[in-house]
Amino acid sequence: MLKTLSGRFLILTVIFVMLAEVLIFVPSIARFRLDYLTDRMERAQIASLALLGTGDMIDDELEVELLENAGVLNVVLRRDSLRQLVLSSDLPGPVTRTVDLRDPSTFVLIRDALTRFVTPTPEIIRVIAEPARGGGTQIEAAIDTGDLHMAMVDYGITILWLSLVISVLTSAFLFLAVRRLMVTPIKALVRQMRRYAEAPEDARRVIEPRSSVRELREAEMTLRDLETQLTQSLRQKERLAQLGSAVAKVSHDLRNILTTATLLGDRLEMVDDPTVKRIAPKIVKSLTRAVSLTEGTLAFGRAEEAPPALQMVSADAFFQELCEGEQLAVDPELVRIVHDAPPGLSIRMDPDQLHRVVGNLIRNARQAMETAAQPGTITVSAGEDDTGWHIRVTDTGPGLPPKAQENLFQAFQGNVRKGGTGLGLAIAQELVRGHGGTLELEKTGPEGTVFCLVLPRELDAA
Ligand SMILES: Nc1ncnc2c1ncn2[C@@H]1O[C@H](COP(=O)(O)OP(=O)(O)OP(=O)(O)O)[C@@H](O)[C@H]1O
Ligand SMILES: [Mg+2]
């Protein structure tokens, strides 16, 4: 309760209203006492006037009755400098104080009233007042203050109750007003912020200023500007990231194609034709430059590949073309690339994407064998069963280094080969997953490595 805005308002209002009531109470209790005493004096005057009318003879019983009715103990009238005790009874004690009601100051009235209010013991006081018109020059009466004190306490209690009711009502109204005007809009603002934070790149979630309260509206407008800016820059970043990773992938495979072209260019230089001899080095130089350019763009991340365009492809023809192309890039004395697929086998695949996948696997094996200068064979084999097709790329190379095994298929991580980027296997796996298949390292060791690729028959396995 104390922690909420409306709760604090509620409690503060109760306190403030009570404070205001106390400030009002002080003058009104003084007024109450003055009225009380004035009333007594008027009654005393009436009683004494009644007596004066009957002449001097009065019996005791009537006197007591008159005094009781007036609520005083005795009455003294002063007329033309003549002091006359008009009514009297036995005083229960001595007169301890004189209160002069003729022209009293506000301060004295308040002080005397508060003193009376807090003094419960009754005393006898002498009150002096100016009589109502025609009643002489001065009237005095002795009064027992017991009744006065009780009446003042009753009055105080009434005021206290009244203040409580007023403060509770005021607080309740204020509480509701604060809720409506402040708490509800603030909560709505917070809700909006949460909603926006869930998907800040969604421009539909940017706040629309609605409040009619100026301060809240300013807050909403500032927030709208902030959210709009954030959403825009997020979108821009996202686009740039996508662009970056797309460029990285294109560059990766482009570089491999260019590397093959460079090797072919190298061969051209061996041709004895003088024109070819002159041009070939230039081609190789241009290609080398292109390779280094693509390598420079490879610092970008990964992106979603387009979904594969599946079709049935003859395995034999597919591998034939792939292996011949790769074979051109390597000395056949060092690495022989062969393929082995049952005649008539067709595999459902996106040929362009699978070309990149198997190409990457062959290239990795070839590069490892070249680096180790270890002659051997790379075999691409394929087969099918009830669940799907499998393609294996087997080499007789040196096996994967431990660091490459730890970070297998992770972009930019597994790369330990000089000049490699560590994207090849990551891209290959992503493409195979796009086919709903799996790419795994089946075995690796000093006698060679086998990567196995499985493509499912069931399409919804993707
Ligand atoms: N058949 C293999 N024999 C030995 N090591 C391999 C083989 N295939 C992959 N590797 C190792 O795994 C690493 C990661 O391969 P990956 O294709 O992901 O990256 P890369 O070949 O280094 O770079 P990129 O292919 O991006 O040019 C390679 O650097 C290499 O060390
Ligand atoms: Mg590679």
Side-chain angles (χ1 to χ4, degrees), residues 31 48 107 384:
R31 177 89 233 164
S48 60
F107 171 74
E384 65 178 330

Side-chain angles (χ1 to χ4, degrees), residues 252 255-256 360 363-364 367 417 423-425:
H252 176 267
R255 181 204 50 187
N256 290 339
N360 270 323
R363 210 165 299 123
N364 279 349
Q367 284 162 345
R417 183 175 61 81
L423 265 174
L425 287 177

Side-chain angles (χ1 to χ4, degrees), residues 342-367:
L345 173 69
S346 286
I347 302 179
R348 190 180 52 224
M349 61 162 109
D350 177 328
D352 283 341
Q353 291 191 355
L354 255 252
H355 196 283
R356 287 164 65 191
V357 173
V358 184
N360 270 323
L361 294 176
I362 296 176
R363 210 165 299 123
N364 279 349
R366 191 194 81 204
Q367 284 162 345

Side-chain angles (χ1 to χ4, degrees), residues 115-131:
T115 321
R116 180 59 52 220
F117 185 64
V118 296
T119 319
T121 33
E123 41 184 340
I124 310 294
I125 57 168
R126 190 155 65 96
V127 182
I128 305 173
E130 208 158 304

